[in-house]
């Protein structure tokens, strides 16, 4: 038998329902924080949360990614209790009003992840890849939900000072190889990888990574890409994050051409349009 350490997986088991990733999917961002880099403070009341979730779902979001801890560069630390209160309130509110919503919990803390899944979340999205909480892998294994593992060095407070690489793509692939081996050994079946645009990487690193994104296909795992309104766009264009939607659309298109399976975005309608055009483009080649 041929030794193939990583199985190719283009489906996710979401609470017993299979989600097919052969057509790329959209993860809509819901930051219930006062200080996120683009939308901080916009979604801290029940009405604002519900209005935004309804809009994203109607526009075609397949997941809602709920985060209560800002991971923008240099963001301040936050107590576990405050983070947990923020996200549990949002998850319970969403599921009371939109019970079919697939919710991802954006956290690097195992206790927050566990509480969120108990409250109804269906996926864990961990920016630290288990590095900031040694119990996260064990928790993901016990909860048996899809797990998004991102590449980052340090933490949101220190990552901007940890941007030295000898070979960026090799180091990222080696990082994922080691993590996937550990996760699969713990019977975590659905693993999604996220290269971590903007996390412990310079603007040049981000564009290099986007250019070589297809090299991550060697890992055989679904690929999540989060480029939405990030500084690599607005700093390059010399605009503000509020003016970075067109640039986001352009880079999301490149990401799809290079193998992205899930786009994590603030603007769902535009991402849905990109995927529709990309799918038509792909269909025309047959």
């Amino acid at each position: 038998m041929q030794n193939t350490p990583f199985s190719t997986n283009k489906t996710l088991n979401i609470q017993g329902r299979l989600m097919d990733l052969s057509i790329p999917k959209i993860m809509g961002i819901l930051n219930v924080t006062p200080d996120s880099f683009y939308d901080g403070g916009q979604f801290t009341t029940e009405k604002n949360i519900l209005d935004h979730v309804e809009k994203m779902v109607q526009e075609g979001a397949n997941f809602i990614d709920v985060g209560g801890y800002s991971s923008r560069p240099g963001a301040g630390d936050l107590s576990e209790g405050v983070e947990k209160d923020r996200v549990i309130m949002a998850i319970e509110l969403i599921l009371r009003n939109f019970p079919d919503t697939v919710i991802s919990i954006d956290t690097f803390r195992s206790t927050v992840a566990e509480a969120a899944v108990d409250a109804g979340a269906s996926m864990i999205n961990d920016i630290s890849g288990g590095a900031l909480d040694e119990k996260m892998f064990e928790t993901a294994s016990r909860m048996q939900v899809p797990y998004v593992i991102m590449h980052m060095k340090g933490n949101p407070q220190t990552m901007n000072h940890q941007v030295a690489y000898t070979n960026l793509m090799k180091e990222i692939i080696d990082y994922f190889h080691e993590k996937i081996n550990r996760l699969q050994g713990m019977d975590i079946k659905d693993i999604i990888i996220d290269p971590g645009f903007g996390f412990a990487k310079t603007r040049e690193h981000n564009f290099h990574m986007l250019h070589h994104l297809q090299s991550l296909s060697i890992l055989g795992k679904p690929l999540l890409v989060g480029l939405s309104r990030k500084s690599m766009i607005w700093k390059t264009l010399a605009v503000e994050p509020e003016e970075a939607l067109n640039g986001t659309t352009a880079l999301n298109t490149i990401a799809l051409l290079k193998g992205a399976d899930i786009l994590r975005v603030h603007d769902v309608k535009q991402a849905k349009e990109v995927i529709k055009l990309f799918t038509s483009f792909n269909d025309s080649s047959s």
Side-chain angles (χ1 to χ4, degrees):
M1 180 182 291
Q2 186 180 5
N3 181 19
T4 54
F6 303 127
S7 58
T8 300
N9 177 14
K10 286 293 183 179
T11 62
L12 297 177
N13 184 338
I14 307 291
Q15 295 181 332
R17 295 173 291 164
L18 278 186
M19 179 179 287
D20 180 11
L21 300 180
S22 58
I23 295 176
K25 298 297 185 282
I26 297 169
M27 178 178 280
I29 298 168
L30 177 66
N31 288 320
V32 288
T33 58
D35 56 346
S36 291
F37 81 93
Y38 167 62
D39 55 3
Q42 292 187 35
F43 309 116
T44 55
T45 69
E46 291 191 1
K47 182 181 187 305
N48 287 349
I49 289 170
L50 288 177
D51 287 349
H52 188 51
V53 170
E54 182 176 28
K55 179 174 185 286
M56 289 195 290
V57 170
Q58 288 178 347
E59 291 178 347
N62 306 99
F63 313 89
I64 302 298
D65 194 39
V66 177
Y69 183 114
S70 175
S71 57
R72 64 180 173 81
D77 197 13
L78 183 73
S79 76
E80 192 173 291
V82 171
E83 181 188 1
K84 189 182 297 184
D85 288 346
R86 287 176 179 174
V87 298
I88 299 305
M89 178 276 291
I91 291 167
E92 291 178 344
L93 178 67
I94 294 165
L95 292 177
R96 278 200 306 272
N97 289 272
F98 308 104
D100 294 329
T101 306
V102 178
I103 294 177
S104 164
I105 175 63
D106 177 5
T107 186
F108 56 81
R109 289 169 165 155
S110 61
T111 55
V112 175
E114 182 166 1
V117 174
D118 284 341
S122 305
M123 177 185 296
I124 298 170
N125 181 13
D126 179 6
I127 62 169
S128 81
L132 296 180
D133 187 334
E134 62 183 14
K135 295 182 179 177
M136 180 60 93
F137 285 7
E138 174 193 330
T139 299
S141 175
R142 187 172 65 256
M143 306 309 283
Q144 281 296 298
V145 293
Y147 179 65
V148 182
I149 178 173
M150 197 186 79
H151 176 271
M152 177 178 71
K153 295 196 294 185
N155 59 45
Q157 291 76 43
T158 65
M159 63 186 179
N160 272 0
H161 305 292
Q162 300 191 44
V163 294
Y165 299 91
T166 302
N167 183 325
L168 177 64
M169 295 311 297
K170 182 181 184 302
E171 290 178 42
I172 290 173
I173 289 170
D174 287 347
Y175 166 93
F176 282 128
H177 265 295
E178 188 270 332
K179 300 278 188 177
I180 291 170
N181 265 326
R182 286 177 55 199
L183 290 165
Q184 291 188 158
M186 300 176 74
D187 198 34
I188 298 175
K189 297 177 178 64
D190 287 322
I191 303 165
I192 303 105
I193 60 172
D194 175 354
F197 285 94
F199 288 83
K201 298 168 188 79
T202 66
R203 199 187 331 173
E204 293 73 20
H205 287 145
N206 289 322
F207 280 104
H208 178 85
M209 190 162 65
L210 181 61
H211 187 83
H212 295 281
L213 199 62
Q214 70 276 12
S215 66
L216 297 178
S217 66
I218 193 174
L219 297 160
K221 296 299 176 190
L223 175 61
L224 184 151
V225 169
L227 291 158
S228 185
R229 297 183 181 266
K230 288 195 170 174
S231 63
M232 66 181 288
I233 299 169
W234 53 266
K235 286 184 178 179
T236 299
L237 298 178
V239 298
E240 295 301 316
E242 292 76 14
E243 303 168 280
L245 176 54
N246 187 50
T248 297
T249 298
L251 295 196
N252 276 339
T253 304
I254 296 171
L256 290 172
L257 290 168
K258 291 183 175 289
D261 298 295
I262 302 171
L263 299 178
R264 183 179 183 273
V265 299
H266 297 90
D267 309 281
V268 172
K269 178 178 182 289
Q270 290 79 1
K272 187 74 172 178
E273 290 174 351
V274 168
I275 288 172
K276 187 171 185 179
L277 293 170
F278 166 77
T279 303
S280 297
F281 171 76
N282 269 357
D283 290 346
S284 71
S285 65
S286 56

